[in-house]
């Protein structure tokens, strides 16, 4: 019954942009090897793995498959570059200049980088070229500006001693990035790590290795010394585990699922107790209050959930609407989803491309079936879009109860779950009744309501009458099982710096 309804909805939907033969991007993939000590090399084993076009499921290219031996080589190169090489001994100003030159090169090559990102990931080209790549450029310029402004303090002491603090780099940093925003998360980690004087071994997501390899080549063109930034493509259980448990890695940063984050943290603890920054999953509430402008709230909630095919850790995936505006909101949310334009992400005007791969595609459809079987009302979508690739119809559920899987689990797909609430006390309790605590959205015209919810919600970011604002200076991270530590802004620097106290006796000081 629901399947036939879904097909009927799609047949009347203006969202159905025809998926013809996919556009072939005008870019050649020249680099598929590992980048170690400034050189592109094959994996020690000689193995490769395919990276796939999610529009079709076809292989784009095969990429070198790094594992333990390759991680060992990359860490050795990073260690030598830190202990003997010029990077940490270089003036902070010169490090800043290299990062700025890289940002200029990245901006110059926006078109090529965006094409790689769209081809490998499936996100709309306009999103990659006009939103994400400029954000990456801005992030590197932001942290380049910090490089020569990192310093400690002179501390007053009770007695005749001069006390100062030094802020020092950790050494070799292992960075593990996800597939949903490959380059954006590249900048969130590589930017502050290098600005602080560390060296890096970066492990890419196996689904999306191409853009990180390409831009790391540009980084070396900007003058980055060999061994400072090493890139290993490979799989989590092999390359990721080797990096997490490596005894010569001094700091680890991981973005991905909560389940994998637990493994990373365990491996770090069992090896050399290296500190770990974790940015993990989320099930973020989007709260629409009774005084909200419903039309604006619908559009904002739609964007908060469906942006990047719903593949956002902070997606507003629990839409909680006050009972007085609930029916109106549901009807308009359904209409907006039906108008969402799905198709080849290289085409102009496309809002939604395919999901990342077949595994994620099947997982999302399984959650949709779960929502139907548990009694939620399917308002729109619910099925595959087209017959080729990993496209899913924009899906909206109403009458969602808190004990349903679609209300509790991180779906990571284009599935909006809408629930009803009566008052602020109830919505705070329900919003906080989650193991996650990454973000929240609040839509209200009442400053008292906004202030109440801002302080009551147990999350790392609260957006008031906006969503997904990712300015370079704004810290990002989660409470509870959404992670630990912060990225971006001045807080992101502390993840890559150690504090050392230096105490020196004073003889006959003129003052204390």
């Amino acid at each position: 019954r629901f399947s036939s309804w879904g097909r009927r909805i799609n047949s009347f939907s203006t969202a159905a942009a025809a998926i013809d033969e996919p556009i072939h991007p005008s870019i050649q993939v020249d680099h598929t090897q590992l980048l170690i000590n400034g050189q592109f090399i094959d994996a020690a084993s000689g193995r490769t793995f395919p990276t796939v076009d999610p529009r079709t499921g076809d292989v784009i290219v095969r990429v070198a498959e790094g594992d333990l031996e390759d991680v060992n080589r990359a860490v050795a190169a990073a260690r030598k570059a830190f202990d003997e090489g010029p990077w940490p001994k270089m003036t902070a100003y010169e490090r800043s200049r290299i990062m700025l030159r890289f940002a200029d090169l990245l901006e110059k090559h926006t078109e090529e980088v965006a094409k790689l990102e769209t081809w490998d990931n499936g996100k709309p080209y306009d999103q990659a070229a006009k939103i994400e790549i400029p954000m990456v450029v801005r992030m590197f310029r932001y942290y380049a500006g910090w490089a020569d402004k990192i310093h400690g303090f002179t501390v007053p002491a009770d007695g005749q001693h001069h006390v100062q603090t030094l802020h020092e780099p950790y050494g070799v940093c292992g960075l593990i990035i996800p597939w949903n925003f490959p380059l954006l998360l590249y900048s969130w980690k590589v930017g502050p790590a290098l600005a602080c004087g560390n060296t890096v071994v970066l492990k890419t997501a196996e689904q999306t290795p191409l853009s990180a390899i390409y831009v790391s080549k540009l980084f070396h063109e900007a003058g980055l010394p060999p061994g400072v930034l090493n890139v290993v493509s490979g799989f989590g259980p092999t390359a990721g585990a080797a990096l997490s448990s490596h005894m010569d890695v001094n700091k680890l940063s991981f973005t991905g699922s909560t389940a994998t984050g637990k493994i990373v943290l365990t491996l770090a603890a069992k090896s050399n107790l290296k500190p770990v920054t974790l940015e993990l999953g989320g099930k973020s509430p989007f709260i629409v209050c009774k005084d909200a402008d419903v039309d604006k709230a619908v559009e904002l909630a739609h964007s908060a959930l469906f942006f990047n095919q719903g593949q956002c850790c902070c997606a507003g995936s629990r839409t909680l609407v006050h009972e007085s505006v609930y029916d109106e909101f549901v009807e308009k949310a359904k209409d907006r989803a039906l108008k969402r334009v799905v198709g080849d992400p290289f085409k102009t005007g496309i809002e939604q491309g395919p999901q990342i791969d077949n595994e994620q595609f099947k997982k999302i459809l399984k959650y949709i079936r779960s929502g139907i079987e548990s009694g939620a009302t399917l308002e729109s979508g619910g099925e595959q879009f087209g017959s080729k690739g990993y496209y899913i119809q924009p899906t909206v559920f109403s009458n969602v109860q808190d004990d349903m899987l679609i209300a509790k689990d991180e779906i990571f797909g284009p599935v909006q779950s809408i629930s009803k609430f009566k008052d602020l006390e109830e919505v705070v309790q329900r919003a906080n009744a989650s193991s996650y605590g990454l973000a929240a959205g609040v839509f209200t015209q009442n400053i008292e309501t906004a202030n109440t919810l801002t302080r009551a919600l147990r999350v790392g970011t609260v957006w008031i009458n906006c969503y997904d604002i990712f300015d370079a200076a704004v810290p990002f991270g989660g409470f509870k099982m959404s992670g630990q530590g912060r990225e971006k802004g001045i807080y992101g620097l502390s993840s890559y710096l150690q504090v050392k106290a230096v105490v020196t006796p004073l003889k006959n000081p003129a003052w204390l």
Side-chain angles (χ1 to χ4, degrees):
R1 181 171 65 91
F2 286 98
S3 295
S4 61
W5 186 26
R7 283 191 293 272
R8 189 172 75 249
I9 289 173
N10 187 61
S11 67
F12 289 100
S13 171
T14 58
I19 301 180
D20 303 314
E21 190 65 27
I23 296 172
H24 186 81
S26 55
I27 185 170
Q28 182 174 328
V29 181
D30 294 321
H31 301 289
T32 60
Q33 297 170 292
L34 311 179
L35 178 58
I36 297 177
N37 204 29
Q39 300 294 321
F40 285 106
I41 60 174
D42 292 331
S45 67
R47 290 195 300 269
T48 62
F49 67 94
T51 186
V52 172
D53 182 349
R55 301 174 303 163
T56 61
D58 297 336
V59 175
I60 300 173
V61 290
R62 297 189 68 87
V63 178
E65 182 183 340
D67 56 22
L68 174 60
E69 186 173 348
D70 302 295
V71 169
N72 286 340
R73 290 192 293 175
V75 172
R79 171 55 57 200
K80 184 176 181 181
F82 184 79
D83 291 345
E84 304 174 21
W87 189 249
K89 298 175 184 179
M90 188 183 292
T91 66
Y93 176 58
E94 184 57 29
R95 289 201 301 269
S96 172
R97 293 181 64 193
I98 291 173
M99 293 177 69
L100 288 172
R101 286 198 294 268
F102 168 63
D104 291 344
L105 280 173
L106 185 56
E107 191 170 50
K108 179 181 177 181
H109 292 275
T110 291
E111 182 179 345
E112 299 99 301
V113 177
K115 286 177 180 177
L116 277 180
E117 196 81 331
T118 295
W119 197 8
D120 211 15
N121 176 276
K123 64 182 61 198
Y125 173 79
D126 284 348
Q127 175 186 319
K130 298 177 181 179
I131 299 175
E132 294 184 21
I133 307 305
M135 290 173 69
V136 173
V137 171
R138 177 69 178 96
M139 190 66 63
F140 276 101
R141 287 179 177 153
Y142 176 85
Y143 279 115
W146 267 113
D148 60 355
K149 300 170 186 66
I150 296 168
H151 57 78
F153 300 95
T154 301
V155 182
D158 293 336
Q160 295 185 12
H161 292 88
H162 173 76
V163 182
Q164 67 183 96
T165 60
L166 302 176
H167 293 179
E168 299 182 349
Y170 274 100
V172 177
C173 295
L175 311 179
I176 303 175
I177 57 175
W179 50 259
N180 56 333
F181 294 98
L183 276 187
L184 202 58
L185 273 297
Y186 177 105
S187 70
W188 288 18
K189 299 182 189 300
V190 173
L194 295 187
C196 292
N198 298 281
T199 57
V200 164
V201 177
L202 176 82
K203 190 266 178 194
T204 62
E206 54 266 32
Q207 297 90 341
T208 54
L210 298 181
S211 58
I213 298 172
Y214 182 90
V215 301
S216 295
K217 173 187 73 77
L218 295 180
F219 222 141
H220 284 80
E221 289 180 16
L224 193 71
V228 175
L229 171 59
N230 306 276
V231 180
V232 178
S233 51
F235 295 86
T238 50
L243 191 59
S244 300
S245 57
H246 204 289
M247 293 296 292
D248 211 19
V249 171
N250 306 115
K251 162 72 187 182
L252 201 62
S253 181
F254 169 81
T255 298
S257 71
T258 296
T260 305
K262 290 181 179 180
I263 297 172
V264 168
L265 191 59
T266 299
L267 292 173
K270 287 183 175 180
S271 53
N272 59 348
L273 269 179
K274 61 180 72 66
V276 183
T277 299
L278 297 171
E279 196 268 281
L280 307 176
K283 192 69 178 176
S284 300
F286 186 101
I287 300 171
V288 181
C289 299
K290 61 183 178 182
D291 63 339
D293 181 319
V294 174
D295 290 334
K296 291 181 179 179
V298 165
E299 185 61 33
L300 197 62
H302 179 87
S303 174
L305 185 282
F306 290 102
F307 178 71
N308 204 52
Q309 292 69 253
Q311 297 170 153
C312 297
C313 53
C314 60
S317 51
R318 287 187 291 157
T319 309
L320 301 165
V321 183
H322 191 270
E323 60 184 5
S324 62
V325 294
Y326 180 80
D327 290 340
E328 179 186 1
F329 184 96
V330 169
E331 190 61 30
K332 290 181 175 179
K334 168 187 172 180
D335 290 344
R336 179 62 181 91
L338 290 172
K339 294 175 183 176
R340 187 169 184 80
V341 184
V342 183
D344 187 335
F346 278 106
K347 291 184 178 179
T348 302
I350 293 297
E351 295 178 280
Q352 181 177 316
Q355 309 308 128
I356 186 65
D357 60 16
N358 190 47
E359 180 181 353
Q360 189 67 15
F361 173 78
K362 289 181 177 179
K363 172 190 169 186
I364 295 166
L365 291 177
K366 184 178 179 180
Y367 273 114
I368 291 172
R369 289 194 297 271
S370 169
I372 295 171
E373 292 165 0
S374 60
T377 302
L378 181 66
E379 299 285 351
S380 67
E383 296 184 344
Q384 179 179 5
F385 180 84
S387 59
K388 190 175 186 180
Y390 308 127
Y391 296 88
I392 292 179
Q393 295 172 347
T395 299
V396 175
F397 281 104
S398 64
N399 298 316
V400 177
Q401 305 304 310
D402 291 352
D403 60 349
M404 296 177 180
L405 289 180
I406 59 172
K408 296 190 299 182
D409 291 2
E410 185 180 33
I411 300 174
F412 230 59
V415 181
Q416 184 177 30
S417 299
I418 308 177
S419 302
K420 184 188 301 183
F421 74 90
K422 293 182 179 181
D423 54 43
L424 290 187
E425 182 178 358
E426 175 199 338
V427 79
V428 167
Q429 186 277 323
R430 290 172 59 192
N432 287 337
S434 170
S435 60
Y436 296 114
L438 191 53
V442 173
F443 210 89
T444 179
Q445 299 181 60
N446 187 312
I447 188 63
E448 299 299 336
T449 299
N451 285 338
T452 296
L453 291 175
T454 297
R455 285 159 175 75
L457 295 169
R458 300 291 297 162
V459 297
T461 300
V462 181
W463 285 295
I464 305 293
N465 295 331
C466 61
Y467 209 86
D468 283 343
I469 305 302
F470 289 109
D471 189 274
V474 178
F476 186 78
F479 287 16
K480 299 185 281 187
M481 291 178 69
S482 286
Q484 55 191 38
R486 293 294 179 269
E487 296 186 292
K488 300 197 295 122
I490 189 172
Y491 295 92
L493 294 170
S494 61
S495 296
Y496 298 97
L497 291 168
Q498 300 184 97
V499 179
K500 177 186 289 181
V502 180
V503 183
T504 308
L506 292 172
K507 299 292 185 180
N508 301 316
W511 53 267
L512 290 175

